[in-house]
Amino acid sequence: MKSEPEMQAASVTISVVCPCFNEEKVIPAFIDALIPVLKDTDLSYEIVFINDGSSDKTLQALLAVREETDAVRILNLSRNFGKEAAMTAGLDHAQGEVIIPMDVDLQDPPELIKEFIERWREGYEVVLARRVDRSADTWTKRVSAGLFYHLHNRISDVEVPHNVGDYRLFTRKVLKEVQRLGEHQRFMKGLFAWVGFNTTTVEYVREKRVAGKTHFNGWKLWNFALDGITSFSSAPLRIWLYIGICIATPSVFWASWILIRTVVYGIDLPGYASLISAVLFLGGIQLIGIGVLGEYVGRIYIETKGRPNYIVEKDYETRPSI
């Protein structure tokens, strides 16, 4: 006999999970574009919005949408926990047989959902959306993203698909395995890649935002990249062993040469400037190594606290649209 949560999940086929942070301007346009696509599938659906501590009128805009659309559910978080935590909240509350995370900025076209459903019906557990044209993004973002994917996949055992964002479809079977992964600092793209399953890819052209502006600046993207690399690779720790060997080996030969030259020829080497340069260089190398080690220790410290990924201040539940 099925439990009550399983019976509720079985009543919904598609769950669209949408984290929101200061997106009041784009929400009406997003709903107008998404609802017709979902109705066209002839499947039951729900749209789970997560208000991630927005400081504008995002919550009010979502509540207005909820009044007009039966299938909208809103999770209002107690503060801004970050996109990965908001995504986790949405996935934990999604009831659908298949789940589709997506942003509300309409850079990822809702029309692609129809192709997702076709691939799912063919038997795929995961359907990825790959961006074949990112001209809508800035040059800096395109270059930095390319460098990140290249570096991450070179040093990690888990390959994150290139130019694939959060927009994808996956089944409840996949979701259950992702939910078993207990880390608190979550790099969702890596977690989805780690669990595997039968996967296919569809391609699309990334559009410009219809309104508002992106909330990912250079600093946030840098920290996001650090989370991705440190979550799935210990190579940044291991590399300092080789750096140490490369520095120590020539130093031994150089010290031996100076000793022999001084003993045999009696040459006095002043070398104050070169000595200071060497000390500063080696000191800098050591501090960088300690910094990398500290990044991993910091992650261990956060994980051992066992704090929840998010806190839901209020859950505006609703019935699914059939």
Side-chain angles (χ1 to χ4, degrees):
M1 184 175 179
K2 290 185 178 181
S3 64
E4 184 177 348
E6 288 175 332
M7 292 176 67
Q8 290 177 349
S11 66
V12 181
T13 303
I14 304 173
S15 288
V16 181
V17 176
C18 308
C20 301
F21 178 67
N22 292 347
E23 298 285 9
E24 61 170 317
K25 295 180 179 179
V26 75
I27 286 170
F30 174 73
I31 283 293
D32 290 342
L34 178 63
I35 292 295
V37 174
L38 293 175
K39 287 183 176 179
D40 231 15
T41 63
D42 292 325
L43 299 170
S44 59
Y45 62 86
E46 66 172 357
I47 307 170
V48 182
F49 288 104
I50 308 94
N51 180 35
D52 187 23
S54 299
S55 57
D56 64 357
K57 296 181 179 179
T58 294
L59 180 58
Q60 290 84 340
L62 292 174
L63 290 173
V65 167
R66 179 173 175 267
E67 290 297 319
E68 300 176 359
T69 308
D70 290 337
V72 168
R73 181 178 188 178
I74 304 168
L75 303 174
N76 189 46
L77 303 189
S78 61
R79 65 171 178 82
N80 178 249
F81 286 88
K83 185 179 180 182
E84 304 298 279
M87 178 79 71
T88 301
L91 297 180
D92 288 346
H93 290 79
Q95 299 178 354
E97 188 178 347
V98 296
I99 296 89
I100 302 174
M102 66 183 302
D103 296 332
V104 299
D105 55 17
L106 290 178
Q107 287 191 278
D108 303 323
E111 294 77 16
L112 209 61
I113 290 176
K114 296 178 184 178
E115 195 166 350
F116 284 171
I117 297 299
E118 291 177 7
R119 296 293 182 271
W120 167 58
R121 284 171 169 161
E122 291 173 4
Y124 291 101
E125 300 279 356
V126 180
V127 185
L128 305 178
R130 175 177 288 122
R131 306 154 182 166
V132 294
D133 185 350
R134 299 189 62 170
S135 56
D137 293 332
T138 63
W139 179 85
T140 304
K141 188 173 182 179
R142 294 197 302 270
V143 171
S144 60
L147 290 174
F148 165 72
Y149 284 117
H150 179 73
L151 175 62
H152 182 280
N153 293 338
R154 285 291 300 271
I155 66 176
S156 174
D157 294 332
V158 177
E159 182 174 349
V160 175
H162 188 75
N163 274 335
V164 173
D166 295 319
Y167 193 32
R168 64 187 69 202
L169 175 148
F170 51 89
T171 63
R172 180 154 292 275
K173 181 194 294 186
V174 177
L175 174 59
K176 287 180 178 179
E177 296 305 321
V178 172
Q179 289 174 323
R180 290 178 57 200
L181 308 179
E183 55 251 57
H184 294 274
Q185 286 190 312
R186 318 203 92 195
F187 179 60
M188 298 303 293
K189 297 180 185 66
L191 297 182
F192 285 123
W194 188 87
V195 297
F197 288 96
N198 189 19
T199 303
T200 188
T201 303
V202 298
E203 297 182 342
Y204 74 105
V205 176
R206 188 166 172 81
E207 304 291 344
K208 293 182 179 180
R209 290 180 63 97
V210 297
K213 60 181 181 179
T214 180
H215 305 292
F216 271 97
N217 54 33
W219 179 247
K220 288 183 178 179
L221 289 172
W222 168 254
N223 286 313
F224 186 64
L226 281 181
D227 282 342
I229 291 173
T230 54
S231 292
F232 290 92
S233 176
S234 60
L237 289 173
R238 193 179 304 117
I239 194 173
W240 290 102
L241 169 64
Y242 301 106
I243 291 176
I245 292 173
C246 291
I247 293 176
T249 302
S251 299
V252 170
F253 288 107
W254 177 245
S256 301
W257 163 245
I258 291 177
L259 179 62
I260 294 172
R261 185 177 178 183
T262 303
V263 171
V264 175
Y265 299 102
I267 297 176
D268 181 26
L269 297 176
Y272 179 76
S274 60
L275 178 63
I276 292 298
S277 299
V279 169
L280 291 176
F281 172 72
L282 291 175
I285 290 292
Q286 289 171 340
L287 289 175
I288 293 173
I290 293 172
V292 173
L293 181 61
E295 182 69 28
Y296 282 88
V297 172
R299 295 183 67 86
I300 296 171
Y301 173 64
I302 291 173
E303 293 294 331
T304 56
K305 290 181 178 180
R307 293 174 180 170
N309 290 312
Y310 59 87
I311 298 173
V312 177
E313 184 268 334
K314 187 171 182 180
D315 183 356
Y316 297 87
E317 296 186 48
T318 187
R319 63 184 184 278
S321 177
I322 305 297

